[in-house]
Amino acid sequence: MHESVILDASVLMALEKINLLQLLCKLYKEIILPEGVIAEFGNVNIECYSKRKIKSKLIKVLTQDLNLGRGEAEVIALAYESGTNVLIDDLKARKIAEDFGLTVSGTIGLLLKAEKTGLISSAFEKAKELKEMGFYVSNELLNKMAKI
């Protein structure tokens, strides 16, 4: 098990679609979920997470000025204040998180990490499965994954 990570709801939703939520507990020491993410996702069926109430002035800037959703704003604010890595799929939210100097990955990065550590046999196959279920994965990224 590795470091702690803060997740956005999109990652939880994607992993739930392909029945891989339990990967989170195998890859990370602690899964941190802001209240806004839990409100968006609903009941989180994994043992290794902790819920955090976020009270940060950054949330107002992220939601009102930068037009992010509450969950994404809470993820970025908490990560910025704690120095914790984040898993976010939304491109705009990822860009903002990177602009704040955060280390950002997403569902595909998590799948690649799971494959590398032997927890799944093929990140490419799981990414394809997600795409077939309506999760956005670019053809360019799929092609790169197919060559790995």
Side-chain angles (χ1 to χ4, degrees), residues 72-111:
E72 294 161 340
E74 288 185 10
V75 166
I76 292 169
L78 179 59
Y80 181 73
E81 292 173 359
S82 67
T84 306
N85 294 347
V86 297
L87 294 178
I88 300 177
D89 287 324
D90 179 80
L91 200 55
K92 180 179 179 183
R94 287 172 70 101
K95 172 80 173 96
I96 291 168
E98 288 167 355
D99 288 348
F100 273 93
L102 302 176
T103 301
V104 181
S105 189
T107 301
I108 300 303
L110 183 133
L111 292 174

Side-chain angles (χ1 to χ4, degrees), residues 3-4 13-14 33 35-36 41 52-54 61 66 74 84 87 97 103 110 112 115 128 130 137:
E3 74 278 1
S4 299
M13 291 173 192
L33 301 175
E35 287 181 338
F41 181 75
R52 297 283 165 83
K53 184 172 185 72
I54 315 302
V61 171
L66 298 174
E74 288 185 10
T84 306
L87 294 178
T103 301
L110 183 133
L112 290 167
E115 179 182 4
K128 240 176 42 175
L130 275 172
V137 182

Side-chain angles (χ1 to χ4, degrees), residues 5 7 11 15 20 23-24 27-28 87 105-115 120 123:
V5 68
L7 265 72
V11 177
L15 292 174
L20 289 178
L23 270 184
L24 292 167
L27 289 170
Y28 298 98
L87 294 178
S105 189
T107 301
I108 300 303
L110 183 133
L111 292 174
L112 290 167
K113 184 174 186 171
E115 179 182 4
I120 62 173

